[in-house]
């Protein structure tokens, strides 16, 4: 794969008080009412004659000399917020996708905090410009974008600059998550992702520890060892630690994140069919990708929270050495699990990660995983499932979800009613529940490994990928959860 978010990191992002001479395409916001920016050189009536009335998401490209002017609809001006600016910026980037140097005054539309506005606009342009180029041999080189200038009024300039830098870091992180998940499975195995983590740790201000198969055996990580048994490629667990600068250490909070890193999920002995889901199972490491990518941005964003991250990485393959149905595994925290479906492997690797996270007694633990097909049946492809043991923490995750526009919906982690669905005559629990409430029983399983620590679980099986280009998303892996985790860590 191309290296860490090369696509977006190589774009120069700057701020200015007026449109720079070099800009080849310039986007200006137009609301449903009010004045039309004079730079567009068109009246509202003339725009309307061309089918443009300022609705959110609309764009009208107006050739101008050698360049392009773009009217960018932002809807009702008093309803503009960071999320609508991100979407408008994405629409602008798509309308100007043939151009190399974009500039836009969008961040000054409406009355949004200038740093948040500049961040959202930067994110929108950069994320909409992301393409996985990977292994194509033609002359499709992906995005043409080389420069982005956020143009902002003098009073907002300093804050806009801070925001643009933040937006650049955030977009680079989310693009990196997409890049990891889009990469074909043979080009990114557990060893490869661990190598990526090591390679970025220094610059990202992280300490990194990599655990191999022998380490995992010695640590009693039966879930990781069990799932890896069928694979010819070794597992890796990666622990990353971000420690903010000393100031205020007494009150410093500690958040732990655990990511499901199934580099390829064939289902194991309970092998999957040849369906579209199986075809997407190189993306079964999207949780680990989101965690690693989020961690990569914390230093640049001066995140005040201490964060410990665990990436649980292995393939899930069928073979003569694979897990058998009825096998019982002993997890890191000593609990035993009867494996009745090897395709319910994510919870097995997460069990070890959660157990290890608990041992450090953080203030909260969040995990993120492409865990169940059931969540797609319940919430569809756009919305992640959110379940947890502590409503205050779950509410924090919800708040982050809203603020970054990565939608989640809470489902009940109903231990009292449904824990019995996991009862096993042979072990402390089975790794599958009954035919119903699959997302809930999976989360109950996971909560067996989180002790007393406030815990939230994100099931991103739905939004891990996007089926066609749309707004900030391009067909393929979405990087979903990266921005949410960054927001959660920075505001925890
Ligand atoms: N990785 C899959 C879940 C998944 C399905 C992710 C579709 C993305 C899209 C997971 O490991 C899995 O196979 N889950 C099983 C669990 C079942 C056997 C209890 C499922 O959902 O079918
Ligand atoms: Mn599976
Ligand atoms: Zn899986």
């Amino acid at each position: 794969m191309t290296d860490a978010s090369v696509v977006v990191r190589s774009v120069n992002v700057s701020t200015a008080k007026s449109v720079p001479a070099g800009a080849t395409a310039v986007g200006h916001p137009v609301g449903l009412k009010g004045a039309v920016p004079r730079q567009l050189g068109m009246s509202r009536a003339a725009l309307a004659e061309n089918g443009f009335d300022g609705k959110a998401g609309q764009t009208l490209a107006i050739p101008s000399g050698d360049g392009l002017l773009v009217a960018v609809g932002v809807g009702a001006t008093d309803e503009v917020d960071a999320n609508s600016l991100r979407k408008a910026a994405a629409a602008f980037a798509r309308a100007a996708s043939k151009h190399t140097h974009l500039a836009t005054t969008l961040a000054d539309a409406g009355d949004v905090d200038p740093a948040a506005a500049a961040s959202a606009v930067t994110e929108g342009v950069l994320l909409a410009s992301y393409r996985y180029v990977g292994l194509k041999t033609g002359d499709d080189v992906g995005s043409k974008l080389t420069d982005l200038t956020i143009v902002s009024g003098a009073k907002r300039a300093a804050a806009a600059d801070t925001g643009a830098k933040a937006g650049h870091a955030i977009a680079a992180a989310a693009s990196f998550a997409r890049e990891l998940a889009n990469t074909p499975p043979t080009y990114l195995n557990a060893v490869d992702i661990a190598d990526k983590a090591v390679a970025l740790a220094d610059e990202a201000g992280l300490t990194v520890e990599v655990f191999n198969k022998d380490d995992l055996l010695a640590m009693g990580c039966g879930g990781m060892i069990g799932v890896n048994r069928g694979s010819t490629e070794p597992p890796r667990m990666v622990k990353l630690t971000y420690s903010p600068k000393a100031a205020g250490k007494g009150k410093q909070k500690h958040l732990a994140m655990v990511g499901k890193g199934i580099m390829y999920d064939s289902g194991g002995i309970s092998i999957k069919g040849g369906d579209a889901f199986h075809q997407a199972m190189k993306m079964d490491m999207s949780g680990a990708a989101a965690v690693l990518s989020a961690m990569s941005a914390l230093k640049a964003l001066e995140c005040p929270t201490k964060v410990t991250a665990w990436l649980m990485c292995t393939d899930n393959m069928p073979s003569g050495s694979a897990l058998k149905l009825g096998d019982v595994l002993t997890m890191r925290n000593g609990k035993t699990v009867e494996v009745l479906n090897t395709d319910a492997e994510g919870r097995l690797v997460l069990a070890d990660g959660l157990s290890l996270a608990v041992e450090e007694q953080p203030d909260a633990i969040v995990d993120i995983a492409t865990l169940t097909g059931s969540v797609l049946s319940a919430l569809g492809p756009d919305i992640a499932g959110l379940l947890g043991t502590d409503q205050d923490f779950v509410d924090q995750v919800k708040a982050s979800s809203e603020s970054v526009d990565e939608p989640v919906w809470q489902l009940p982690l109903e231990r009292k009613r449904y824990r019995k669905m996991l009862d096993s005559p042979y072990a402390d629990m089975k790794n599958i529940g009954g035919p119903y409430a699959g997302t809930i029983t999976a989360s109950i399983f996971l909560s067996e490994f989180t002790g007393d620590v406030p815990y939230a679980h994100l099931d991103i099986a739905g939004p891990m990928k996007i089926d066609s280009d749309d707004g900030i998303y391009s067909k393929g892996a979405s990087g979903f959860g990266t921005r949410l985790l960054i927001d959660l860590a920075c505001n925890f």
Side-chain angles (χ1 to χ4, degrees):
M1 63 177 272
T2 44
D3 227 17
S5 66
V6 65
V7 190
V8 154
R9 227 186 267 289
S10 63
V11 176
N12 301 304
V13 176
S14 58
T15 51
K17 288 173 199 135
S18 58
V19 172
T24 62
V26 187
H28 294 291
V30 181
L32 282 172
K33 289 182 194 136
V36 171
R38 55 171 173 73
Q39 298 96 319
L40 287 172
M42 281 177 84
S43 67
R44 188 169 284 281
L47 289 171
E49 268 166 38
N50 288 280
F52 178 94
D53 47 27
K55 282 204 194 75
Q58 259 185 349
T59 54
L60 181 68
I62 310 158
S64 153
D66 292 338
L68 193 70
L69 289 169
V70 183
V72 185
V74 294
T77 321
D78 54 352
E79 284 169 24
V80 170
D81 61 12
N83 288 336
S84 68
L85 286 179
R86 191 184 300 103
K87 285 199 182 109
F92 164 53
R94 290 188 182 282
S97 65
K98 301 276 186 291
H99 286 260
T100 54
H101 185 167
L102 306 193
T104 180
T105 56
L106 261 176
D108 283 357
D111 189 21
V112 184
D113 167 73
S119 180
V121 170
T122 305
E123 290 167 38
V125 169
L126 295 182
L127 288 172
S129 304
Y130 169 84
R131 300 286 176 281
Y132 181 71
V133 180
L135 299 159
K136 289 197 182 183
T137 59
D139 43 16
D140 178 2
V141 292
S143 173
K144 298 188 171 52
L145 186 66
T146 59
D147 293 85
L148 168 64
T149 309
I150 304 294
V151 180
S152 212
K155 273 195 203 140
R156 295 165 64 94
D161 201 56
T162 309
K165 288 202 174 75
H168 196 184
I170 292 166
S175 306
F176 182 41
R178 293 179 184 182
E179 193 76 5
L180 290 168
N182 279 325
T183 302
T186 299
Y187 287 76
L188 188 81
N189 62 25
V191 174
D192 296 326
I193 195 171
D195 288 348
K196 298 257 174 221
V198 171
L200 71 74
D202 218 26
E203 207 186 310
L206 307 170
T207 58
V208 58
E209 288 168 80
V210 176
F211 302 87
N212 65 21
K213 188 169 174 176
D214 288 340
D215 299 326
L216 291 165
L217 271 166
M219 293 165 81
C221 291
M224 282 290 283
I225 296 295
V227 172
N228 180 253
R229 257 174 53 179
S231 180
T232 53
E233 301 187 44
R236 288 289 186 268
M237 178 173 73
V238 181
K239 180 187 183 188
L240 294 159
T241 308
Y242 167 79
S243 305
K245 294 230 182 71
K249 204 150 199 169
K251 281 186 276 172
Q252 200 174 83
K253 294 277 190 197
H254 179 192
L255 176 66
M257 299 180 182
V258 184
K260 171 176 172 180
I262 299 298
M263 309 310 293
Y264 177 69
D265 181 12
S266 71
I269 289 293
S270 314
I271 197 162
K272 290 180 184 293
D275 49 52
F277 284 144
H278 193 162
Q279 289 169 14
M281 283 304 127
K282 67 174 182 183
M283 296 183 189
D284 211 19
M285 33 55 74
S286 296
V291 171
L292 173 59
S293 304
M295 293 298 286
S296 76
L298 299 183
K299 181 185 158 199
L301 298 169
E302 297 177 34
C303 170
T305 312
K306 175 179 173 174
V307 187
T308 316
W310 303 85
L311 315 180
M312 312 306 289
C313 304
T314 172
D315 287 333
N316 182 28
M317 296 294 283
S319 83
S321 60
L323 270 178
K324 298 158 186 164
L325 305 192
D327 268 336
V328 173
L329 303 174
T330 303
M331 309 316 225
R332 166 72 188 184
N333 76 349
K335 292 193 182 179
T336 55
V337 176
E338 183 190 10
V339 177
L340 291 182
N341 189 323
T342 61
D343 202 7
E345 84 298 339
R347 63 197 75 184
L348 302 177
V349 302
L350 290 172
D352 289 330
L354 293 169
S355 303
L356 286 160
V358 166
E359 288 170 26
E360 299 184 335
Q361 288 291 305
D363 296 299
I365 303 176
V366 60
D367 83 55
I368 179 162
T370 47
L371 206 65
T372 65
S374 301
V375 80
L376 265 150
S377 307
L379 302 176
D382 292 357
I383 304 172
L386 168 64
L387 306 95
T389 57
D390 180 286
Q391 195 56 40
D392 285 348
F393 183 50
V394 167
D395 287 342
Q396 283 192 52
V397 177
K398 273 188 202 165
S400 289
S401 149
E402 275 159 30
S403 105
V404 305
D405 200 18
E406 290 184 330
V408 303
W409 192 258
Q410 187 177 0
L411 299 171
L413 199 159
E414 270 275 358
R415 291 183 58 90
K416 279 206 198 94
R417 287 177 200 279
Y418 293 160
R419 171 61 179 81
K420 57 179 177 291
M421 291 189 192
L422 297 172
D423 286 350
S424 158
Y426 302 105
D428 296 334
M429 67 200 100
K430 313 185 280 185
N431 77 327
I432 49 170
Y436 308 122
T439 304
I440 296 173
T441 51
S443 73
I444 293 171
F445 179 98
L446 296 174
S447 74
E448 291 283 329
F449 301 90
T450 58
D452 295 331
V453 179
Y455 167 59
H457 160 63
L458 285 163
D459 191 336
I460 59 164
M464 75 173 187
K465 74 175 172 57
I466 301 294
D467 289 330
S468 56
D469 291 359
D470 184 14
I472 64 165
Y473 295 108
S474 298
K475 185 177 165 69
S478 65
F480 188 101
T482 306
R483 292 183 299 113
L484 188 159
L485 292 175
I486 289 173
D487 187 89
L488 183 67
C490 292
N491 296 299
F492 183 61

